[in-house]
Amino acid sequence: MEIHLVPAFSDNYIYLLRDPSSGAVGVVDPGDANPVIEALDRRGWTLTHIFNTHHHNDHVGGNHVLKTRTGATVIGARADVARIPDMETCLGEGETISFGSQTARVLFVPGHTSGHIAFWFPEAKAVFCGDTLFALGCGRLFEGTPAQMWSSLTKLRALPDDTAVYCGHEYTLSNARFAVTIEPDNQDLQARATEITAKRERGEPTIPTTIGEEKRTNPFLRADRPEVQAAVGMAGADPVEVFAEIRRRKDNF
């Protein structure tokens, strides 16, 4: 599966997908239709699928224009049927949807919003997780609880290590600056922070990351690790409580 990053607004990423064997073309979280239309026209592609991870306008704001222009099928969470524009295919945990020769499996990952989902393409080794999991971070808890978000993150963490992670924003540099305050002795994290700084100085994206890389370096996925618990003064505590403390610190960072 071809995957192309389409920058939007100040730090959003929209993703353009194409299944070469069938010619199916999808877009993930089109907050703005204009850069999507430009990317499609440049490649001579016709949009067939619109995938939405959650209802926030910077992820769904382009739905109506793209649907009207192309007739593409709008796909999203059943729980958000009243909040996602033009949605016609409603899915929930464990359900699948065909995208040409590819199959996407839906993961219900609430926390950032109450109806948030992710689309996992096992054959393409890719997951589109919106604002639940970021490179070195996770989304703010606007509509969910720490317990919900921790459950969602551990669900994503359980995917194969070589799964490419495509998230909704370019937040990695600020996330790295925070992460090293939690685990200053994590050598993998220190090396990654240096690499991220260099990439951003060159104007390069830091996405995709991988599940394996996040497991080694993302403090929000590591709230059950003894070294992280000790670092925040909560040795042996419930991982949900440790996660909540890390999220609180990030909110005030």
Side-chain angles (χ1 to χ4, degrees):
M1 186 166 73
E2 297 179 38
I3 303 171
H4 300 274
L5 279 67
V6 180
F9 308 120
S10 61
D11 53 33
N12 277 69
Y13 285 135
I14 299 168
Y15 298 102
L16 203 59
L17 320 178
R18 182 174 180 270
D19 174 45
S21 67
S22 66
V25 176
V27 66
V28 181
D29 287 348
D32 184 356
N34 290 331
V36 177
I37 293 168
E38 291 172 8
L40 290 168
D41 289 349
R42 190 163 61 248
R43 294 172 172 86
W45 293 354
T46 300
L47 191 66
T48 57
H49 296 69
I50 299 170
F51 297 94
N52 295 131
T53 63
H54 64 295
H55 71 90
H56 287 161
N57 194 60
D58 63 327
H59 292 255
V60 303
N63 275 16
H64 184 69
V65 169
L66 291 172
K67 171 67 176 176
T68 301
R69 183 185 178 99
T70 68
T73 300
V74 181
I75 303 149
R78 186 173 291 107
D80 272 340
V81 66
R83 302 198 290 183
I84 293 180
D86 296 272
M87 187 165 68
E88 54 206 306
T89 299
C90 305
L91 300 171
E93 170 68 29
E95 293 185 277
T96 61
I97 184 164
S98 295
F99 173 66
S101 66
Q102 303 281 333
T103 299
R105 181 173 296 276
V106 173
L107 306 176
F108 182 50
V109 287
H112 180 65
T113 66
S114 60
H116 205 300
I117 60 175
F119 296 97
W120 174 38
F121 290 82
E123 291 183 18
K125 298 182 178 180
V127 64
F128 299 89
C129 54
D131 291 358
T132 297
L133 173 65
F134 293 125
L136 290 176
C138 75
R140 288 179 179 267
L141 306 185
F142 288 128
E143 298 176 6
T145 66
Q148 284 178 314
M149 186 59 121
W150 175 245
S151 176
S152 297
L153 291 173
T154 56
K155 187 180 295 185
L156 291 168
R157 188 177 70 175
L159 297 177
D161 281 2
D162 61 353
T163 304
V165 177
Y166 294 89
C167 58
H169 293 270
E170 181 58 73
Y171 289 164
T172 318
L173 185 59
S174 61
N175 286 345
R177 289 169 177 160
F178 171 73
V180 296
T181 71
I182 300 295
E183 283 197 275
D185 297 326
N186 183 329
Q187 295 304 307
D188 288 334
L189 173 58
Q190 292 288 355
R192 189 175 176 197
T194 299
E195 178 186 356
I196 286 163
T197 299
K199 279 188 173 182
R200 294 310 293 156
E201 286 177 350
R202 295 192 299 265
E204 297 173 3
T206 62
I207 308 303
T209 175
T210 65
I211 291 294
E213 194 164 34
E214 295 309 306
K215 286 164 64 174
R216 292 189 296 272
T217 57
N218 187 332
F220 294 99
L221 291 188
R222 295 168 57 80
D224 53 356
R225 298 280 299 187
E227 58 268 41
V228 173
Q229 296 184 349
V232 297
M234 299 178 69
D238 183 334
V240 172
E241 295 177 6
V242 178
F243 167 79
E245 171 61 17
I246 297 171
R247 184 64 256 179
R248 183 193 66 78
R249 292 188 185 192
K250 181 62 166 67
D251 289 344
N252 294 289
F253 182 67

